[in-house]
Amino acid sequence: LGADLSSMLHSLGIPRDSKRHRVLDTFQSPWAETSRSEVEPKFFIPD
Amino acid sequence: TNTERYYLVFTEWVKLLQRVEGDDISTIVFLKQMKDKGVLSKTDQLIEFIKAALELSIFSFKESDPTGEVFTAIDALGKMIIKLLVVQDFTEMTRADYLNLVFPVIALVFSKDHEQENTTFNERPHFRLLSNFLFEWETIRGHKFIKVRNVVTRKELLDFDTEFYNIFSSYLQSAQPIAFPGFSFAWVTLISHRMFLPTMLRLPNNAGWKNLMLLLIDLLKFLDKYTDKNEVSNAISVVYKGALRVFLGISNDMPEFLIENHLELMNNLPPTYFQLKNVILSAIPKKMMLPNPYDPTLSLEDIAACKEPPKVFYDLIAEFSTLKKPVDNYLRIPSNSLLKTIISNTYRNEYELKNGIGYDYLSVDNNIVRAIVIHVGIEVGSEYQRMSSSAVFNTKSAYYTLLFNLIHDGTVELQYQVIQAMVEQLRYPNVHTYWFIFALRNMFVSEEWGDQLLEVQEIILRNLLERIIVNRPHTWGISVIFTQLITSKEINLLDLPFVKKLPEVRNLLSPL
Amino acid sequence: ENDAFNNPLFGEELKFWLNSKRPLMQPYKEMPEQMIAQVESSLLNCPDSLDADSPHFYRKPLSLPHPTSIFFPNEPIRFVYPVGSGQGQPNDQQQTYKGKQAGSSNQEQDSESESVKKTEDIYSRTSLARIFTKFDLDTLFFIFYHYQGTYDQFLAARELSKNRKWKFNKIDRCWYYKEVEKLPPGMLQAEEESWRYFDYQGSWLARRCNNDVVPKEEDFEKI
């Protein structure tokens, strides 16, 4: 039967409204329990 | 010994990186000296060096104070390997050759650590090395490798970029959970890594999609194998949760990937994973607004999106190469003998054990059934664009009669599989959703079934209920057809004998 | 007897790697004891977000000398938060940089809020990028000039450019701000442009440029 996904979506940072934003570029870990700190995403520094 | 000498040189490298910045010229000079002074002048030496450095790094991890810096050596190794990938002179071997030399060495050290008895295998340093490869490569590839000053090298690296990810992907495939269960959690973390997954989704021309699908299928196969409907081990249950979360992320960032690859995902999804099934099939194109599916006055005909065929990425021909001809011939001119050929080819030669709801094995090849159903959908879509809606939205059309007859002449299992595949096509507003709603609605009340009608109604209702009683999300198409059935004046679901007989089902339906 | 197994480079390890192929070709119907133990061990050792984070090697404490350098941390700022607290509210960002900031008039704030909403990027919802929206210009310039080559420098540049509307001059390596002042009606021009720049080498202050100085658009870095 699955489960209520609201808290999983919330922990992923996926909003309920239609305003989408990308989440995989800052994805910490597949599990909320191992996602307790933010990770450094890719970035670019001009010379 | 040679190994000890390699340890010394590697240790110097680790120390160097603690004193100068990662892009300092001395790091290049160090590597150059390794080449010039005969440490890395031959490929045999490269193999021995990486083996020694990796073993030392893993040993260093295991011996380090767990509260301190445990990855110093492994981080240094990751940087060295990728730096060599970038700066070496690749006249005698290509970058692909180099990587295809490095990964097997890593695989061998990894396998020994994992498989050897009485070892304290820990996936973390192995994970860290691969995570670092992704980081180091990402650092150099920004803005089309603009940081690489040499224009020729820059172009070479840009041309190599896709191949880098595909080689990395192949390595991950060989390290999949069925082969290395002690690496399972690290593996799921790697396929969803922020510097791997979004990149694979976005490579030019969807160049990463094929390999990404292979990895996701590996994951689904692992889950399928070890999900027993009576009992799921805690560890597998946690893997599942992680998989679900990853699919939710993909659905958010790139729903097109799930939309266009849904067939292969359905072919490999464990049959009891209804919520994950719904998550995958509920992916909708970005910016699409969904009309209210519960509106009883909803007219699919008036929705522009319902005229559009959904995109498909997979190669359907491969799936049902033997059947394509008979199916296409039947769609042109239906005949009983073609139908018999088609039906007989849907049966397997051997039973396949499958943990389904209400069944433990399959005698029908559901991949083939799915391929037939979706092929019908694709043909419907293209004829609809060419001709008119009356040509396809017609219970006398070959499209409808093929599916009707498969159900009419098939075993209960085949009936279930065909209807299940049709229900899978009820997704976001598109011509497949539209047509399959038409087909299922008509089948639900068709007098052509004769005394088979109740059986067919039961299977259709079961397939819809399976998808709608689970927690959300639910697909738009299923919500639409369900609303139509509930509000229809022709049908009263509560009057159906098989509903009356089952209080659980009756109690589910009557409030609706 | 196979040659591969006699190769001194990898003969020893090869059998372990080959072993792993067996379950791929013929998966176990049920997980054997050893496999269960391995999967559970994998669960226990599961890499976390710190393991997946970017490796950090040597980094010069500060790119430029500064008298208060000993008070600034060497480790990167990492946010730790309890499970389930999610990413916080998206609306914080609009509240932050209103108020007395050099080069920020009230009229511009509303359009700034609008453009913040529109120009969402992958960093917008990270705690670090959000904290940067609350920093003073001074702090942002300090991070920019003293933590060169770091993610922190990148975020400072992003904040200055995207949200505060400063521009970075590639030639003199200074940040510039264009102030547009609406003139009272009846004047020859409707508005007056003036530029200021941040003097990071000398006074560590934002200074007005001379009226005849108009920085060239092509000298600015496209961030």
Side-chain angles (χ1 to χ4, degrees):
Chain A
L1 288 171
D4 184 338
L5 295 180
S6 335
S7 65
M8 198 181 260
L9 289 167
H10 182 61
S11 79
L12 273 167
I14 293 175
R16 304 195 75 199
D17 54 32
S18 57
K19 181 151 189 240
R20 259 199 241 244
H21 62 272
R22 284 154 60 159
V23 302
L24 292 176
D25 300 275
T26 48
F27 194 68
Q28 297 131 327
S29 154
W31 300 276
E33 293 85 344
T34 41
S35 299
R36 290 180 205 260
S37 62
E38 289 186 351
V39 285
E40 189 179 274
K42 65 181 181 192
F43 63 97
F44 179 80
I45 296 187
D47 272 346
Chain B
T1 64
N2 261 349
T3 305
E4 285 164 345
R5 291 201 186 103
Y6 290 136
Y7 287 165
L8 285 173
V9 174
F10 179 62
T11 307
E12 285 306 304
W13 169 258
V14 177
K15 285 200 233 167
L16 178 66
L17 287 181
Q18 294 179 316
R19 283 170 177 64
V20 302
E21 305 213 352
D23 51 6
D24 190 279
I25 192 71
S26 57
T27 60
I28 311 283
V29 172
F30 188 102
L31 295 176
K32 187 172 191 304
Q33 286 186 349
M34 282 177 81
K35 268 250 140 99
D36 295 343
K37 301 205 181 216
V39 179
L40 281 188
S41 37
K42 294 187 232 159
T43 52
D44 279 8
Q45 291 173 321
L46 180 66
I47 292 171
E48 286 179 317
F49 183 87
I50 292 178
K51 193 150 83 104
L54 183 52
E55 285 168 351
L56 186 62
S57 302
I58 292 165
F59 176 79
S60 160
F61 166 84
K62 289 179 181 174
E63 296 298 301
S64 294
D65 171 7
T67 63
E69 294 294 333
V70 298
F71 293 131
T72 311
I74 205 101
D75 287 353
L77 179 58
K79 190 177 269 294
M80 176 188 269
I81 290 174
I82 301 300
K83 226 184 236 297
L84 284 170
L85 178 62
V86 174
V87 307
Q88 266 186 112
D89 180 21
F90 285 101
T91 44
E92 278 166 30
M93 70 167 156
T94 65
R95 284 193 166 82
D97 290 336
Y98 168 78
L99 265 193
N100 285 323
L101 198 66
V102 166
F103 274 116
V105 176
I106 295 173
L108 291 172
V109 174
F110 170 68
S111 309
K112 182 175 172 195
D113 198 11
H114 181 277
E115 300 284 294
Q116 200 170 42
E117 302 213 350
N118 308 320
T119 53
T120 49
F121 176 75
N122 189 316
E123 64 201 314
R124 289 174 66 212
H126 300 282
F127 167 85
R128 180 75 173 192
L129 180 65
L130 297 167
S131 175
N132 283 355
F133 282 178
L134 295 170
F135 166 79
E136 298 289 349
W137 186 253
E138 184 63 63
T139 304
I140 198 90
R141 74 190 283 268
H143 289 228
K144 298 194 176 161
F145 296 90
I146 194 78
K147 289 205 181 291
V148 177
R149 292 192 196 279
N150 183 306
V151 175
V152 172
T153 310
R154 195 188 303 158
K155 173 143 201 323
E156 284 173 10
L157 289 169
L158 190 57
D159 290 342
F160 181 68
D161 193 45
T162 295
E163 202 168 358
F164 173 85
Y165 287 103
N166 284 330
I167 294 174
F168 187 91
S169 202
S170 295
Y171 178 74
L172 284 185
Q173 267 228 286
S174 71
Q176 62 180 286
I178 290 181
F180 294 97
F183 194 65
S184 309
F185 283 81
W187 190 86
V188 181
T189 310
L190 279 167
I191 67 172
S192 58
H193 196 284
R194 70 193 179 286
M195 294 180 183
F196 179 74
L197 181 54
T199 311
M200 291 294 276
L201 288 170
R202 296 203 159 84
L203 284 172
N205 305 315
N206 298 327
W209 281 21
K210 184 156 169 281
N211 278 328
L212 187 56
M213 276 300 292
L214 290 174
L215 290 169
L216 291 172
I217 288 170
D218 289 342
L219 177 59
L220 293 175
K221 281 186 175 155
F222 174 69
L223 286 169
D224 187 28
K225 205 75 209 156
Y226 302 115
T227 297
D228 187 295
K229 57 194 161 192
N230 299 314
E231 198 190 325
V232 182
S233 75
N234 177 54
I236 295 295
S237 162
V238 179
V239 173
Y240 163 74
K241 284 216 190 85
L244 180 59
R245 211 155 167 274
V246 171
F247 274 102
L248 285 170
I250 297 174
S251 181
N252 180 79
D253 282 24
M254 186 151 282
E256 299 77 14
F257 177 79
L258 295 179
I259 290 169
E260 298 180 36
N261 288 291
H262 79 280
L263 179 82
E264 283 184 304
L265 291 169
M266 292 301 109
N267 280 345
N268 290 283
L269 192 66
T272 52
Y273 285 22
F274 285 103
Q275 187 168 41
L276 182 53
K277 183 171 192 162
N278 275 335
V279 165
I280 293 167
L281 295 174
S282 296
I284 62 171
K286 286 187 194 153
K287 302 190 179 147
M288 181 179 268
M289 294 302 295
L290 297 180
N292 179 7
Y294 307 112
D295 175 5
T297 66
L298 187 72
S299 164
L300 297 181
E301 211 171 7
D302 299 332
I303 301 172
C306 283
K307 298 178 173 35
E308 298 304 318
K311 275 177 91 174
V312 298
F313 180 73
Y314 41 79
D315 176 12
L316 198 54
I317 313 299
E319 245 345 302
F320 77 143
S321 45
T322 48
L323 271 187
K324 188 171 186 298
K325 233 175 154 190
V327 169
D328 280 341
N329 287 341
Y330 186 99
L331 291 178
R332 260 195 302 274
I333 303 166
S335 87
N336 229 6
S337 63
L338 279 172
L339 180 70
K340 281 192 166 54
T341 306
I342 294 168
I343 291 183
S344 64
N345 274 290
T346 60
Y347 291 109
R348 294 174 175 277
N349 295 323
E350 291 175 349
Y351 291 136
E352 191 201 2
L353 293 176
K354 210 66 172 167
N355 277 309
I357 307 280
Y359 60 90
D360 298 309
Y361 64 87
L362 292 174
S363 57
V364 168
D365 188 334
N366 52 345
N367 291 9
I368 287 186
V369 171
R370 207 170 260 124
I372 295 173
V373 168
I374 210 171
H375 183 65
V376 167
I378 292 172
E379 293 304 302
V380 160
S382 65
E383 173 138 8
Y384 183 69
Q385 310 242 288
R386 286 195 314 267
M387 313 282 270
S388 65
S389 75
S390 57
V392 297
F393 286 87
N394 184 340
T395 56
K396 301 246 183 298
S397 70
Y399 310 111
Y400 182 87
T401 56
L402 173 57
L403 299 178
F404 183 96
N405 285 325
L406 285 175
I407 296 169
H408 187 273
D409 291 8
T411 58
V412 173
E413 187 187 328
L414 180 59
Q415 293 174 336
Y416 173 80
Q417 299 287 1
V418 171
I419 292 170
Q420 181 184 73
M422 291 171 75
V423 170
E424 281 168 9
Q425 292 309 304
L426 309 185
R427 299 188 290 163
Y428 64 92
N430 63 54
V431 76
H432 293 186
T433 301
Y434 181 16
W435 191 85
F436 282 102
I437 286 178
F438 158 81
L440 286 164
R441 280 281 283 116
N442 277 280
M443 285 182 185
F444 202 85
V445 296
S446 172
E447 287 175 0
E448 309 274 323
W449 296 116
D451 51 13
Q452 264 185 322
L453 176 63
L454 279 177
E455 201 173 81
V456 174
Q457 286 177 325
E458 186 178 337
I459 297 180
I460 293 178
L461 189 60
R462 176 215 161 118
N463 270 289
L464 293 175
L465 282 177
E466 274 178 348
R467 301 282 303 283
I468 213 155
I469 62 169
V470 300
N471 275 276
R472 286 174 190 276
H474 302 139
T475 68
W476 182 85
I478 288 180
S479 302
V480 167
I481 197 178
F482 209 75
T483 304
Q484 288 183 357
L485 288 176
I486 300 257
T487 58
S488 158
K489 300 210 169 18
E490 272 182 279
I491 314 151
N492 186 349
L493 294 175
L494 297 174
D495 277 345
L496 296 168
F498 53 85
V499 171
K500 281 200 200 149
K501 250 205 295 196
L502 295 167
E504 301 96 328
V505 178
R506 211 175 50 240
N507 293 337
L508 211 71
L509 290 173
S510 45
L512 296 172
Chain C
E1 289 89 48
N2 191 297
D3 280 349
F5 287 94
N6 293 316
N7 188 316
L9 284 177
F10 46 75
E12 193 210 331
E13 290 86 2
L14 197 54
K15 62 178 183 281
F16 297 112
W17 180 81
L18 271 180
N19 252 358
S20 76
K21 297 300 174 190
R22 249 189 231 128
L24 274 177
M25 293 193 294
Q26 206 174 19
Y28 304 110
K29 252 195 296 186
E30 274 170 28
M31 265 207 249
E33 283 295 322
Q34 194 201 12
M35 190 178 177
I36 294 174
Q38 285 172 320
V39 179
E40 283 176 5
S41 159
S42 177
L43 170 55
L44 284 174
N45 288 321
C46 185
D48 65 9
S49 45
L50 290 171
D51 285 2
D53 207 355
S54 308
H56 285 292
F57 303 91
Y58 168 80
R59 190 178 294 159
K60 285 206 296 265
L62 284 178
S63 308
L64 298 174
H66 192 278
T68 56
S69 61
I70 55 168
F71 300 121
F72 287 87
N74 274 329
E75 288 108 44
I77 308 171
R78 283 287 171 271
F79 286 91
V80 178
Y81 48 83
V83 172
S85 67
Q87 304 278 333
Q89 297 309 308
N91 289 322
D92 295 352
Q93 215 164 6
Q94 278 95 63
Q95 310 300 332
T96 56
Y97 49 90
K98 290 182 182 167
K100 291 173 200 150
Q101 299 271 348
S104 198
S105 70
N106 268 326
Q107 247 183 344
E108 281 181 20
Q109 278 167 22
D110 291 323
S111 55
E112 275 176 60
S113 308
E114 280 306 306
S115 51
V116 161
K117 279 185 208 151
K118 280 182 231 151
T119 54
E120 171 113 14
D121 60 16
I122 64 172
Y123 313 96
S124 304
R125 282 164 198 261
T126 60
S127 304
L128 206 51
R130 288 225 193 91
I131 286 268
F132 274 53
T133 64
K134 300 187 207 280
F135 284 165
D136 274 353
L137 281 175
D138 223 16
T139 309
L140 293 171
F141 289 128
F142 181 88
I143 295 171
F144 179 83
Y145 288 108
H146 290 274
Y147 287 89
Q148 290 183 38
T150 64
Y151 179 53
D152 307 290
Q153 181 195 33
F154 165 81
L155 283 182
R158 175 186 168 274
E159 177 64 24
L160 284 166
S161 161
K162 215 166 105 76
N163 292 340
R164 317 295 175 102
K165 308 298 183 214
W166 284 68
K167 299 186 197 215
F168 183 72
N169 187 308
K170 291 185 276 194
I171 315 294
D172 63 16
R173 316 261 167 108
C174 288
W175 286 89
Y176 284 78
Y177 183 84
K178 181 164 83 173
E179 191 149 17
V180 177
E181 203 186 312
K182 287 209 165 20
L183 296 172
M187 307 274 291
L188 275 170
Q189 293 166 307
E191 38 185 54
E192 190 178 53
E193 253 180 40
S194 62
W195 287 83
R196 48 179 90 219
Y197 74 100
F198 186 79
D199 178 15
Y200 75 96
Q201 285 177 308
S203 60
W204 196 259
L205 285 173
R207 313 181 84 127
R208 279 197 99 113
C209 297
N210 290 332
N211 282 341
D212 49 354
V213 170
V214 178
K216 286 184 251 174
E217 197 57 44
E218 61 262 26
D219 289 345
F220 290 132
E221 183 75 60
K222 288 180 191 21
I223 296 181

